Amino acid sequence: MAATNGNTNGGNVIHDSRFDPNFTQHVIDATGPKATPRMRKVMGSLIKHVHDFARENELTVEEWMAGVEMMNWAGKMSDDKRNEGQLMCDVIGLESLVDEITFKLAAETNDSATASAILGPFFRHDAPILQNDDTIVKDVPSDGQIVYMHGYATDLVTKKPVPGVWVDVWQASTNGLYEQQDDNQQDCNLRGKFKTDEKGYYGFYCLRPTPYPVPNDGPAGKLLELLDRHSFRPAHIHIIAQCDGYKPVTTQIFDKEDKYLDNDSVFAVKESLIVDFKPLKGNPKATLELEYPIVIAPQQGK
């Protein structure tokens, strides 16, 4: 049956008949019988949408190859300290969208758990284990404000403190760089893992975060340039909280005074993650304080 470009049938676009109308389904049908149902569903949908995208935009070989080269560039730049492919997903909002979907699904049964946010491309698995009330600031910048950040981890259901929660934190310095981007910072500067005590308490010293641009030395920065978009992220601190028997929480907290809260270049800000740094008196180690509770939900069946 001949189809006209732009017509619809039940909400599905029928593409111009000059392109083989059976090609995409032929590719989808090539999936073998041992593929899992989820793999069949996800990849079938992906193939359909990618093929529809190529037809809709009449993608040329040169344009497709430019995209492949950008993905290859991201792969070559990525290592255990930086994930450029993930950063490309961030600047088009994909990681934040996946996070929203995951968070909304979880919120259908767990309304009050700490909200999630994207992991980001600069997470490291080898952050140092520190004692509560230690500092993650190895190199204090001249314009840095020291913050005493602390709080309690509690069980979403019982409301009781949860001991033994690992709180993994990391942040950029005031020059906008994470330590693996900056030869002038010590290894694992502004990173640390803390374990809640028997009362569920955690605490450490850090910097008041500052906004910074997405790095412009890779394909993610190039893509922002091509889209004529600014590259700045609002000031934030990364947190992962995890404990046996509980669902892990990956999140970020954002300074309420930051001017990029409404136009984060990676679309990660949630209202419940905006925090207020308050003046702190009587503590010689810090001038600001942030009290931040962490609420974690038990794993199903626990």
PDB file of all heavy atoms in Angstrom, residues 70-99:
ATOM      1  N   MET A  70      31.419  10.946  16.541  1.00  0.00           N
ATOM      2  CA  MET A  70      31.248  11.599  17.837  1.00  0.00           C
ATOM      3  C   MET A  70      31.159  10.562  18.946  1.00  0.00           C
ATOM      4  O   MET A  70      31.748  10.731  20.028  1.00  0.00           O
ATOM      5  CB  MET A  70      30.006  12.494  17.819  1.00  0.00           C
ATOM      6  CG  MET A  70      29.805  13.302  19.088  1.00  0.00           C
ATOM      7  SD  MET A  70      28.574  14.624  18.920  1.00  0.00           S
ATOM      8  CE  MET A  70      29.591  15.947  18.239  1.00  0.00           C
ATOM      9  N   MET A  71      30.451   9.451  18.700  1.00  0.00           N
ATOM     10  CA  MET A  71      30.383   8.376  19.698  1.00  0.00           C
ATOM     11  C   MET A  71      31.760   7.750  19.914  1.00  0.00           C
ATOM     12  O   MET A  71      32.147   7.444  21.051  1.00  0.00           O
ATOM     13  CB  MET A  71      29.373   7.317  19.261  1.00  0.00           C
ATOM     14  CG  MET A  71      27.924   7.769  19.348  1.00  0.00           C
ATOM     15  SD  MET A  71      26.741   6.419  19.103  1.00  0.00           S
ATOM     16  CE  MET A  71      27.035   6.028  17.385  1.00  0.00           C
ATOM     17  N   ASN A  72      32.506   7.558  18.821  1.00  0.00           N
ATOM     18  CA  ASN A  72      33.858   7.011  18.951  1.00  0.00           C
ATOM     19  C   ASN A  72      34.757   7.951  19.753  1.00  0.00           C
ATOM     20  O   ASN A  72      35.579   7.508  20.575  1.00  0.00           O
ATOM     21  CB  ASN A  72      34.461   6.775  17.565  1.00  0.00           C
ATOM     22  CG  ASN A  72      33.791   5.638  16.820  1.00  0.00           C
ATOM     23  OD1 ASN A  72      33.104   4.819  17.422  1.00  0.00           O
ATOM     24  ND2 ASN A  72      33.978   5.575  15.515  1.00  0.00           N
ATOM     25  N   TRP A  73      34.614   9.238  19.521  1.00  0.00           N
ATOM     26  CA  TRP A  73      35.371  10.250  20.251  1.00  0.00           C
ATOM     27  C   TRP A  73      35.067  10.148  21.750  1.00  0.00           C
ATOM     28  O   TRP A  73      35.971  10.164  22.590  1.00  0.00           O
ATOM     29  CB  TRP A  73      35.019  11.632  19.706  1.00  0.00           C
ATOM     30  CG  TRP A  73      35.767  12.790  20.279  1.00  0.00           C
ATOM     31  CD1 TRP A  73      36.872  12.767  21.074  1.00  0.00           C
ATOM     32  CD2 TRP A  73      35.439  14.173  20.081  1.00  0.00           C
ATOM     33  NE1 TRP A  73      37.257  14.048  21.402  1.00  0.00           N
ATOM     34  CE2 TRP A  73      36.408  14.930  20.796  1.00  0.00           C
ATOM     35  CE3 TRP A  73      34.451  14.846  19.365  1.00  0.00           C
ATOM     36  CZ2 TRP A  73      36.372  16.323  20.831  1.00  0.00           C
ATOM     37  CZ3 TRP A  73      34.426  16.234  19.383  1.00  0.00           C
ATOM     38  CH2 TRP A  73      35.384  16.967  20.113  1.00  0.00           C
ATOM     39  N   ALA A  74      33.786   9.999  22.073  1.00  0.00           N
ATOM     40  CA  ALA A  74      33.395   9.867  23.480  1.00  0.00           C
ATOM     41  C   ALA A  74      34.022   8.621  24.096  1.00  0.00           C
ATOM     42  O   ALA A  74      34.501   8.649  25.240  1.00  0.00           O
ATOM     43  CB  ALA A  74      31.877   9.819  23.603  1.00  0.00           C
ATOM     44  N   GLY A  75      34.039   7.525  23.346  1.00  0.00           N
ATOM     45  CA  GLY A  75      34.628   6.296  23.859  1.00  0.00           C
ATOM     46  C   GLY A  75      36.116   6.425  24.120  1.00  0.00           C
ATOM     47  O   GLY A  75      36.629   5.949  25.144  1.00  0.00           O
ATOM     48  N   LYS A  76      36.812   7.077  23.220  1.00  0.00           N
ATOM     49  CA  LYS A  76      38.253   7.238  23.373  1.00  0.00           C
ATOM     50  C   LYS A  76      38.607   8.123  24.567  1.00  0.00           C
ATOM     51  O   LYS A  76      39.677   7.969  25.169  1.00  0.00           O
ATOM     52  CB  LYS A  76      38.850   7.822  22.096  1.00  0.00           C
ATOM     53  CG  LYS A  76      38.813   6.861  20.911  1.00  0.00           C
ATOM     54  CD  LYS A  76      39.303   7.524  19.639  1.00  0.00           C
ATOM     55  CE  LYS A  76      39.228   6.569  18.452  1.00  0.00           C
ATOM     56  NZ  LYS A  76      39.656   7.215  17.181  1.00  0.00           N
ATOM     57  N   MET A  77      37.713   9.052  24.925  1.00  0.00           N
ATOM     58  CA  MET A  77      37.983   9.958  26.045  1.00  0.00           C
ATOM     59  C   MET A  77      37.621   9.349  27.389  1.00  0.00           C
ATOM     60  O   MET A  77      38.019   9.856  28.437  1.00  0.00           O
ATOM     61  CB  MET A  77      37.196  11.263  25.866  1.00  0.00           C
ATOM     62  CG  MET A  77      37.683  12.154  24.746  1.00  0.00           C
ATOM     63  SD  MET A  77      36.917  13.788  24.844  1.00  0.00           S
ATOM     64  CE  MET A  77      37.675  14.441  26.326  1.00  0.00           C
ATOM     65  N   SER A  78      36.834   8.289  27.394  1.00  0.00           N
ATOM     66  CA  SER A  78      36.297   7.742  28.642  1.00  0.00           C
ATOM     67  C   SER A  78      37.265   6.775  29.303  1.00  0.00           C
ATOM     68  O   SER A  78      37.944   5.999  28.632  1.00  0.00           O
ATOM     69  CB  SER A  78      34.964   7.039  28.362  1.00  0.00           C
ATOM     70  OG  SER A  78      33.998   7.954  27.860  1.00  0.00           O
ATOM     71  N   ASP A  79      37.312   6.832  30.626  1.00  0.00           N
ATOM     72  CA  ASP A  79      38.102   5.887  31.419  1.00  0.00           C
ATOM     73  C   ASP A  79      37.437   5.755  32.787  1.00  0.00           C
ATOM     74  O   ASP A  79      36.275   6.144  32.949  1.00  0.00           O
ATOM     75  CB  ASP A  79      39.565   6.338  31.533  1.00  0.00           C
ATOM     76  CG  ASP A  79      39.717   7.752  32.074  1.00  0.00           C
ATOM     77  OD1 ASP A  79      38.808   8.199  32.827  1.00  0.00           O
ATOM     78  OD2 ASP A  79      40.727   8.407  31.788  1.00  0.00           O
ATOM     79  N   ASP A  80      38.152   5.215  33.777  1.00  0.00           N
ATOM     80  CA  ASP A  80      37.536   5.004  35.078  1.00  0.00           C
ATOM     81  C   ASP A  80      37.385   6.286  35.884  1.00  0.00           C
ATOM     82  O   ASP A  80      36.821   6.273  36.981  1.00  0.00           O
ATOM     83  CB  ASP A  80      38.332   3.970  35.891  1.00  0.00           C
ATOM     84  CG  ASP A  80      39.771   4.401  36.146  1.00  0.00           C
ATOM     85  OD1 ASP A  80      40.224   5.420  35.547  1.00  0.00           O
ATOM     86  OD2 ASP A  80      40.458   3.731  36.935  1.00  0.00           O
ATOM     87  N   LYS A  81      37.847   7.412  35.331  1.00  0.00           N
ATOM     88  CA  LYS A  81      37.716   8.692  36.018  1.00  0.00           C
ATOM     89  C   LYS A  81      36.779   9.662  35.309  1.00  0.00           C
ATOM     90  O   LYS A  81      36.406  10.695  35.869  1.00  0.00           O
ATOM     91  CB  LYS A  81      39.095   9.358  36.163  1.00  0.00           C
ATOM     92  CG  LYS A  81      40.062   8.591  37.052  1.00  0.00           C
ATOM     93  CD  LYS A  81      41.371   9.341  37.188  1.00  0.00           C
ATOM     94  CE  LYS A  81      42.342   8.603  38.099  1.00  0.00           C
ATOM     95  NZ  LYS A  81      43.616   9.340  38.253  1.00  0.00           N
ATOM     96  N   ARG A  82      36.405   9.360  34.069  1.00  0.00           N
ATOM     97  CA  ARG A  82      35.539  10.256  33.307  1.00  0.00           C
ATOM     98  C   ARG A  82      34.772   9.453  32.272  1.00  0.00           C
ATOM     99  O   ARG A  82      35.358   8.653  31.553  1.00  0.00           O
ATOM    100  CB  ARG A  82      36.361  11.351  32.624  1.00  0.00           C
ATOM    101  CG  ARG A  82      35.551  12.232  31.657  1.00  0.00           C
ATOM    102  CD  ARG A  82      36.402  13.352  31.104  1.00  0.00           C
ATOM    103  NE  ARG A  82      35.683  14.157  30.124  1.00  0.00           N
ATOM    104  CZ  ARG A  82      36.136  15.286  29.591  1.00  0.00           C
ATOM    105  NH1 ARG A  82      37.322  15.742  29.946  1.00  0.00           N
ATOM    106  NH2 ARG A  82      35.424  15.949  28.699  1.00  0.00           N
ATOM    107  N   ASN A  83      33.450   9.689  32.207  1.00  0.00           N
ATOM    108  CA  ASN A  83      32.603   8.965  31.268  1.00  0.00           C
ATOM    109  C   ASN A  83      31.984   9.964  30.294  1.00  0.00           C
ATOM    110  O   ASN A  83      30.940  10.562  30.565  1.00  0.00           O
ATOM    111  CB  ASN A  83      31.515   8.192  32.013  1.00  0.00           C
ATOM    112  CG  ASN A  83      30.783   7.228  31.122  1.00  0.00           C
ATOM    113  OD1 ASN A  83      30.589   7.487  29.935  1.00  0.00           O
ATOM    114  ND2 ASN A  83      30.355   6.111  31.681  1.00  0.00           N
ATOM    115  N   GLU A  84      32.648  10.152  29.165  1.00  0.00           N
ATOM    116  CA  GLU A  84      32.197  11.156  28.199  1.00  0.00           C
ATOM    117  C   GLU A  84      30.899  10.735  27.510  1.00  0.00           C
ATOM    118  O   GLU A  84      30.068  11.573  27.177  1.00  0.00           O
ATOM    119  CB  GLU A  84      33.284  11.421  27.160  1.00  0.00           C
ATOM    120  CG  GLU A  84      32.993  12.586  26.221  1.00  0.00           C
ATOM    121  CD  GLU A  84      33.049  13.951  26.888  1.00  0.00           C
ATOM    122  OE1 GLU A  84      33.600  14.040  28.010  1.00  0.00           O
ATOM    123  OE2 GLU A  84      32.553  14.933  26.302  1.00  0.00           O
ATOM    124  N   GLY A  85      30.726   9.424  27.285  1.00  0.00           N
ATOM    125  CA  GLY A  85      29.470   8.966  26.701  1.00  0.00           C
ATOM    126  C   GLY A  85      28.295   9.299  27.591  1.00  0.00           C
ATOM    127  O   GLY A  85      27.229   9.711  27.114  1.00  0.00           O
ATOM    128  N   GLN A  86      28.478   9.122  28.883  1.00  0.00           N
ATOM    129  CA  GLN A  86      27.444   9.478  29.845  1.00  0.00           C
ATOM    130  C   GLN A  86      27.193  10.986  29.826  1.00  0.00           C
ATOM    131  O   GLN A  86      26.043  11.434  29.919  1.00  0.00           O
ATOM    132  CB  GLN A  86      27.865   9.026  31.238  1.00  0.00           C
ATOM    133  CG  GLN A  86      26.794   9.186  32.296  1.00  0.00           C
ATOM    134  CD  GLN A  86      27.217   8.569  33.615  1.00  0.00           C
ATOM    135  OE1 GLN A  86      28.299   8.017  33.744  1.00  0.00           O
ATOM    136  NE2 GLN A  86      26.361   8.644  34.609  1.00  0.00           N
ATOM    137  N   LEU A  87      28.253  11.775  29.685  1.00  0.00           N
ATOM    138  CA  LEU A  87      28.097  13.226  29.630  1.00  0.00           C
ATOM    139  C   LEU A  87      27.305  13.649  28.401  1.00  0.00           C
ATOM    140  O   LEU A  87      26.492  14.582  28.461  1.00  0.00           O
ATOM    141  CB  LEU A  87      29.478  13.894  29.638  1.00  0.00           C
ATOM    142  CG  LEU A  87      29.506  15.422  29.759  1.00  0.00           C
ATOM    143  CD1 LEU A  87      28.756  15.890  30.997  1.00  0.00           C
ATOM    144  CD2 LEU A  87      30.943  15.924  29.788  1.00  0.00           C
ATOM    145  N   MET A  88      27.499  12.957  27.281  1.00  0.00           N
ATOM    146  CA  MET A  88      26.695  13.261  26.089  1.00  0.00           C
ATOM    147  C   MET A  88      25.223  12.968  26.343  1.00  0.00           C
ATOM    148  O   MET A  88      24.344  13.727  25.917  1.00  0.00           O
ATOM    149  CB  MET A  88      27.201  12.457  24.896  1.00  0.00           C
ATOM    150  CG  MET A  88      28.548  12.909  24.365  1.00  0.00           C
ATOM    151  SD  MET A  88      28.957  12.095  22.814  1.00  0.00           S
ATOM    152  CE  MET A  88      27.755  12.827  21.704  1.00  0.00           C
ATOM    153  N   CYS A  89      24.947  11.853  27.041  1.00  0.00           N
ATOM    154  CA  CYS A  89      23.562  11.564  27.424  1.00  0.00           C
ATOM    155  C   CYS A  89      23.011  12.659  28.338  1.00  0.00           C
ATOM    156  O   CYS A  89      21.826  13.016  28.256  1.00  0.00           O
ATOM    157  CB  CYS A  89      23.474  10.219  28.125  1.00  0.00           C
ATOM    158  SG  CYS A  89      23.761   8.787  27.060  1.00  0.00           S
ATOM    159  N   ASP A  90      23.879  13.203  29.198  1.00  0.00           N
ATOM    160  CA  ASP A  90      23.441  14.243  30.125  1.00  0.00           C
ATOM    161  C   ASP A  90      22.992  15.503  29.395  1.00  0.00           C
ATOM    162  O   ASP A  90      21.957  16.092  29.725  1.00  0.00           O
ATOM    163  CB  ASP A  90      24.577  14.595  31.089  1.00  0.00           C
ATOM    164  CG  ASP A  90      24.849  13.492  32.096  1.00  0.00           C
ATOM    165  OD1 ASP A  90      24.032  12.561  32.179  1.00  0.00           O
ATOM    166  OD2 ASP A  90      25.892  13.563  32.781  1.00  0.00           O
ATOM    167  N   VAL A  91      23.770  15.966  28.421  1.00  0.00           N
ATOM    168  CA  VAL A  91      23.475  17.257  27.803  1.00  0.00           C
ATOM    169  C   VAL A  91      22.247  17.211  26.900  1.00  0.00           C
ATOM    170  O   VAL A  91      21.682  18.264  26.569  1.00  0.00           O
ATOM    171  CB  VAL A  91      24.694  17.826  27.033  1.00  0.00           C
ATOM    172  CG1 VAL A  91      25.885  17.997  27.957  1.00  0.00           C
ATOM    173  CG2 VAL A  91      25.048  16.968  25.836  1.00  0.00           C
ATOM    174  N   ILE A  92      21.806  16.019  26.502  1.00  0.00           N
ATOM    175  CA  ILE A  92      20.535  15.916  25.779  1.00  0.00           C
ATOM    176  C   ILE A  92      19.402  15.493  26.704  1.00  0.00           C
ATOM    177  O   ILE A  92      18.290  15.194  26.252  1.00  0.00           O
ATOM    178  CB  ILE A  92      20.619  14.962  24.568  1.00  0.00           C
ATOM    179  CG1 ILE A  92      20.923  13.515  25.006  1.00  0.00           C
ATOM    180  CG2 ILE A  92      21.643  15.459  23.556  1.00  0.00           C
ATOM    181  CD1 ILE A  92      20.810  12.502  23.870  1.00  0.00           C
ATOM    182  N   GLY A  93      19.677  15.460  28.006  1.00  0.00           N
ATOM    183  CA  GLY A  93      18.644  15.198  28.991  1.00  0.00           C
ATOM    184  C   GLY A  93      18.269  13.743  29.161  1.00  0.00           C
ATOM    185  O   GLY A  93      17.341  13.430  29.917  1.00  0.00           O
ATOM    186  N   LEU A  94      18.983  12.825  28.514  1.00  0.00           N
ATOM    187  CA  LEU A  94      18.577  11.425  28.562  1.00  0.00           C
ATOM    188  C   LEU A  94      18.767  10.815  29.944  1.00  0.00           C
ATOM    189  O   LEU A  94      17.878  10.116  30.451  1.00  0.00           O
ATOM    190  CB  LEU A  94      19.338  10.618  27.513  1.00  0.00           C
ATOM    191  CG  LEU A  94      18.976   9.128  27.432  1.00  0.00           C
ATOM    192  CD1 LEU A  94      17.486   8.951  27.151  1.00  0.00           C
ATOM    193  CD2 LEU A  94      19.815   8.426  26.370  1.00  0.00           C
ATOM    194  N   GLU A  95      19.920  11.078  30.588  1.00  0.00           N
ATOM    195  CA  GLU A  95      20.126  10.498  31.910  1.00  0.00           C
ATOM    196  C   GLU A  95      19.117  11.057  32.908  1.00  0.00           C
ATOM    197  O   GLU A  95      18.576  10.325  33.744  1.00  0.00           O
ATOM    198  CB  GLU A  95      21.554  10.728  32.411  1.00  0.00           C
ATOM    199  CG  GLU A  95      21.814   9.978  33.717  1.00  0.00           C
ATOM    200  CD  GLU A  95      23.237  10.100  34.235  1.00  0.00           C
ATOM    201  OE1 GLU A  95      24.050  10.823  33.634  1.00  0.00           O
ATOM    202  OE2 GLU A  95      23.530   9.444  35.254  1.00  0.00           O
ATOM    203  N   SER A  96      18.817  12.358  32.819  1.00  0.00           N
ATOM    204  CA  SER A  96      17.834  12.945  33.730  1.00  0.00           C
ATOM    205  C   SER A  96      16.442  12.396  33.470  1.00  0.00           C
ATOM    206  O   SER A  96      15.643  12.217  34.395  1.00  0.00           O
ATOM    207  CB  SER A  96      17.839  14.471  33.598  1.00  0.00           C
ATOM    208  OG  SER A  96      19.008  15.017  34.179  1.00  0.00           O
ATOM    209  N   LEU A  97      16.114  12.117  32.206  1.00  0.00           N
ATOM    210  CA  LEU A  97      14.818  11.526  31.890  1.00  0.00           C
ATOM    211  C   LEU A  97      14.718  10.112  32.451  1.00  0.00           C
ATOM    212  O   LEU A  97      13.700   9.746  33.065  1.00  0.00           O
ATOM    213  CB  LEU A  97      14.596  11.505  30.379  1.00  0.00           C
ATOM    214  CG  LEU A  97      13.321  10.798  29.895  1.00  0.00           C
ATOM    215  CD1 LEU A  97      12.075  11.444  30.493  1.00  0.00           C
ATOM    216  CD2 LEU A  97      13.259  10.803  28.370  1.00  0.00           C
ATOM    217  N   VAL A  98      15.768   9.306  32.264  1.00  0.00           N
ATOM    218  CA  VAL A  98      15.774   7.947  32.816  1.00  0.00           C
ATOM    219  C   VAL A  98      15.689   7.996  34.338  1.00  0.00           C
ATOM    220  O   VAL A  98      14.979   7.198  34.971  1.00  0.00           O
ATOM    221  CB  VAL A  98      17.026   7.178  32.358  1.00  0.00           C
ATOM    222  CG1 VAL A  98      17.151   5.849  33.092  1.00  0.00           C
ATOM    223  CG2 VAL A  98      16.988   6.949  30.852  1.00  0.00           C
ATOM    224  N   ASP A  99      16.387   8.955  34.950  1.00  0.00           N
ATOM    225  CA  ASP A  99      16.305   9.128  36.395  1.00  0.00           C
ATOM    226  C   ASP A  99      14.882   9.487  36.816  1.00  0.00           C
ATOM    227  O   ASP A  99      14.370   8.955  37.806  1.00  0.00           O
ATOM    228  CB  ASP A  99      17.275  10.220  36.854  1.00  0.00           C
ATOM    229  CG  ASP A  99      17.069  10.606  38.304  1.00  0.00           C
ATOM    230  OD1 ASP A  99      17.332   9.765  39.184  1.00  0.00           O
ATOM    231  OD2 ASP A  99      16.612  11.730  38.566  1.00  0.00           O
TER     232      ASP A  99
END
